[in-house]
Amino acid sequence: IFAVYFDGRPINLRTLNALVNYPGPKYKKCSFSNSGHAFNLAERLNLLFKTDKFTVWKLTGGEQVTEADVK
């Protein structure tokens, strides 16, 4: 899995409709199984905000958890 980070921290992108408050903010995808999509998003965000702090991280490893482990 590849995720877009800003300044070393994961991001969440949301969109708001200024005309209608219903159904609330929508969250856009920031992690991808294909690295190309992540690099494209990071590049677009860097151009939009005139920075180079948006980077792509490869998420490896991990462990299986159950609901009981999280609570």
Side-chain angles (χ1 to χ4, degrees), residues 41-58:
L41 176 60
E43 184 178 333
R44 284 196 325 260
L45 291 172
N46 280 325
L47 288 173
L48 180 65
F49 293 105
K50 297 177 178 68
T51 185
D52 61 352
K53 293 187 177 186
F54 288 98
T55 56
V56 175
W57 288 50
K58 183 177 182 180

Side-chain angles (χ1 to χ4, degrees), residues 11-16 23-30:
I11 64 169
N12 242 344
L13 294 177
R14 68 180 187 170
T15 59
L16 298 170
K26 292 186 178 183
Y27 288 87
K28 292 192 173 265
K29 196 171 177 184
C30 295

Side-chain angles (χ1 to χ4, degrees), residues 62-66 69:
E63 62 186 60
Q64 182 177 2
V65 296
T66 63
D69 296 334

Side-chain angles (χ1 to χ4, degrees), residues 25-39:
K26 292 186 178 183
Y27 288 87
K28 292 192 173 265
K29 196 171 177 184
C30 295
S31 60
F32 307 90
S33 59
N34 183 335
S35 64
H37 297 299
F39 282 113

